[in-house]
Amino acid sequence: MQLPIDIDRNSSLNLQTQVFEQIRAMILAGQLRAGQRLPSSRHLCQQLQVSRITITLALARLADEGYIDTAKSVGTFVSREIPEQALHAIQGNLVHKTPPDLVAQIRSRLPEIRSHSLVNQHAPRTGIDFWVGRPDARSFPLRTWTRLTNKRLLSAGSALTEYRDPTGVPELRDAIANHLRPARGIIAEPEQIIITGGCQEALNLVSRMLLAPGTDAIVESPGYAGASYLFESYGARLHHIRVDEKGLDVAQLPDVAGAVAYVTPSHQYPMGYTLPLDRRLELLAWAVRTDSYIVEDDYDSDFRYVGSPLAALKALDRANRVFYVGTFSKCLGAGLRLGYIVVPPELMPIARRYKALMNYGQPWLEQAVLADFMNTGGYARHLRKIRQHYRGKRDALLKALDLRFGQTVTIGAEAGMHMVWRTPNHLPPASEIVARVLNCGVGVYDLSPRSAVITSGAPENDRYLIFGYSSLSEKQISMGIERLADELEKTHVLARTRVLAATASKQRVL
Ligand SMILES: Cc1ncc(COP(=O)(O)O)c(C=O)c1O
């Protein structure tokens, strides 16, 4: 460790005093913490190009005044004994805190600070937590991942020490292009693909390219807060377009030129609708007519349990109006922070330069390992396996709801990792249910910002509860619904439901 000490040979202070004062100031300012080891006197002599006696005297004075302790043949440490009060008293004079109005000025650039609900997503939640969009940690292919990582490390060469193409590791871009063709119907060249830090960075990249203060940005309502807050932070003018029982109501798209529309057509977030073909075509025609771009977020399209998946919107995009965004956060894990964006070819040189400005590319090792995982068939096997697991969990949730609440109305259960339950009218509002079941260790979510959702606040929204099921075991799922039902039953609100449940048909329309 090198200490940031500046020796000024023209100073009126002697060298020993300069060393003493600068180390003391670092201790008082908290740059050197109690118990932290200091570099050896030999090391300090070499670094500062001063004599041993200068350092010895400076350290001796620091020790005499109680700032450091020296343990023979162990080392020199910042003292733990500096009295807190004295430290604070002196720090008060030394440390210039950022003035509150400067902090307020910076904070005012964040869209209404509402984005805190995104930051808090990782906060520890409750025992049985139906939080949305989390893969099952037990399903991560740890053994294969470890093997592939070790193999890549052994043959890394200069890959860990050189700057590479900011758009990503070529093998991974190839693998993604090969995956997208059969899985999503998208014909994309690897040269159109940029590897990003998850979907969120892909959205940032598009925003940097397309949004200026006042640009019109269209978002779904209810919709994904991670996109809305981001667009707001770029100064975009937001248009919240209603989602009805088919998905985005494209008839409501504004007639504005040069807009950006963010959509989740495969499995609308959070409502779970799949946008039908006629609306997809209408959306694309709108983009062409208004010189706008569409950002398609296909966040959980790997999971489809009923019928065959509709091809992505991008697959229908003959006019190159769609940026397609994918993520590995759902099928592998959000901790990897890996996603990608398919960019219209003519915009790729610009996007590449923005990506270089942002962070000059994602970490090489994770990209290389993921490429190997995909290219050796491991990824396809992993998807097949977890699809089956998640289908089991989804079925367990549907069954548990049916059992306790009678014939339930669910939305979006045919795909993805979450579904929405339209609660019967005699139950309390969704926000009240959320609060009540939290007390008995069950986390369920309504359409509020705590679920990363942004809504227009329509009254019927308080009838919807979101259930993520992918990270829970089937047993936890049925226990969670049991507890939820028991809690509601406590106040007899379920009395009527139980009678209904006994007679309800188990038929379900999905
Ligand atoms: C609609 C939607 N898009 C994307 C993501 C994932 O983003 P990322 O890839 O940045 O983890 C989420 C995560 O919850 C989401 O709900």
Side-chain angles (χ1 to χ4, degrees), residues 9-28:
R9 291 182 194 275
N10 298 320
S11 164
S12 56
L13 294 177
N14 65 33
L15 299 179
Q16 165 205 331
T17 308
Q18 289 185 47
V19 174
F20 164 79
E21 289 207 335
Q22 291 189 44
I23 294 182
R24 176 174 165 275
M26 279 185 257
I27 293 172
L28 292 175

Side-chain angles (χ1 to χ4, degrees), residues 264 267-270 272 297-302 325-327 330 418:
T264 50
H267 192 233
Q268 201 273 333
Y269 187 87
D297 179 355
D298 214 15
Y299 64 105
D300 67 358
S301 62
D302 292 307
V325 173
T327 179
K330 307 299 169 190
H418 74 272

Side-chain angles (χ1 to χ4, degrees), residues 32-99:
L32 288 172
R33 301 204 163 268
Q36 187 173 341
R37 182 194 285 272
L38 292 185
S40 68
S41 52
R42 189 167 51 84
H43 189 99
L44 284 171
C45 295
Q46 277 169 0
Q47 179 198 332
L48 304 177
Q49 295 292 297
V50 295
S51 70
R52 189 81 179 250
I53 190 70
T54 300
I55 298 298
T56 308
L57 288 172
L59 293 180
R61 190 171 159 201
L62 283 164
D64 284 350
E65 294 191 17
Y67 292 105
I68 61 172
D69 295 319
T70 305
K72 246 204 170 120
S73 67
V74 179
T76 305
F77 300 86
V78 177
S79 174
R80 294 186 189 277
E81 303 296 316
I82 304 171
E84 276 285 294
Q85 274 174 346
L87 196 61
H88 281 162
I90 308 163
Q91 277 184 347
N93 296 332
L94 289 176
V95 178
H96 298 283
K97 288 215 173 110
T98 311

Side-chain angles (χ1 to χ4, degrees), residues 81-142:
E81 303 296 316
I82 304 171
E84 276 285 294
Q85 274 174 346
L87 196 61
H88 281 162
I90 308 163
Q91 277 184 347
N93 296 332
L94 289 176
V95 178
H96 298 283
K97 288 215 173 110
T98 311
D101 50 346
L102 185 55
V103 175
Q105 202 183 54
I106 295 167
R107 181 181 294 138
S108 71
R109 295 190 201 131
L110 247 188
E112 292 177 35
I113 278 302
R114 288 178 303 164
S115 34
H116 78 278
S117 59
L118 299 176
V119 177
N120 289 341
Q121 278 187 36
H122 65 273
R125 289 165 187 275
T126 187
I128 299 179
D129 187 9
F130 288 95
W131 177 233
V132 193
R134 283 185 313 173
D136 188 341
R138 291 159 295 201
S139 304
F140 189 86
L142 208 53

Side-chain angles (χ1 to χ4, degrees), residues 465-507:
L465 279 177
I466 317 173
F467 289 85
Y469 47 82
S470 45
S471 66
L472 297 174
S473 68
E474 291 180 28
K475 193 165 162 210
Q476 285 175 310
I477 289 171
S478 44
M479 269 172 54
I481 300 303
E482 284 287 300
R483 282 198 213 166
L484 181 145
D486 288 347
E487 172 63 25
L488 295 178
E489 213 168 65
K490 264 190 212 159
T491 46
H492 307 292
V493 284
L494 272 188
R496 226 186 91 219
T497 312
R498 294 196 92 192
V499 179
L500 288 174
T503 51
S505 133
K506 293 284 182 291
Q507 284 297 309

Side-chain angles (χ1 to χ4, degrees), residues 256-376:
V256 287
V260 177
Y262 165 84
V263 290
T264 50
S266 300
H267 192 233
Q268 201 273 333
Y269 187 87
M271 295 305 291
Y273 299 115
T274 302
L275 196 68
L277 186 61
D278 56 338
R279 289 199 179 184
R280 290 175 186 233
L281 294 173
E282 214 176 308
L283 178 60
L284 290 167
W286 166 85
V288 173
R289 196 173 61 247
T290 59
D291 268 343
S292 298
Y293 278 98
I294 298 165
V295 182
E296 176 180 20
D297 179 355
D298 214 15
Y299 64 105
D300 67 358
S301 62
D302 292 307
F303 308 107
R304 178 107 206 156
Y305 313 110
V306 179
S308 33
L310 266 189
L313 181 69
K314 177 73 192 162
L316 302 168
D317 174 30
R318 300 283 169 267
N320 283 333
R321 289 293 153 163
V322 178
F323 286 82
Y324 176 87
V325 173
T327 179
F328 293 96
S329 287
K330 307 299 169 190
C331 52
L332 276 167
L336 285 175
R337 303 311 303 136
L338 280 176
Y340 55 92
I341 181 163
V342 181
V343 178
E346 58 281 6
L347 295 180
M348 191 59 190
I350 305 171
R352 185 170 188 272
R353 284 163 69 171
Y354 274 113
K355 176 64 180 163
L357 273 182
M358 286 168 76
N359 54 18
Y360 220 90
Q362 298 316 116
W364 167 81
L365 185 58
E366 279 79 10
Q367 291 188 69
V369 170
L370 178 56
D372 293 346
F373 190 51
M374 294 180 86
N375 288 328
T376 53

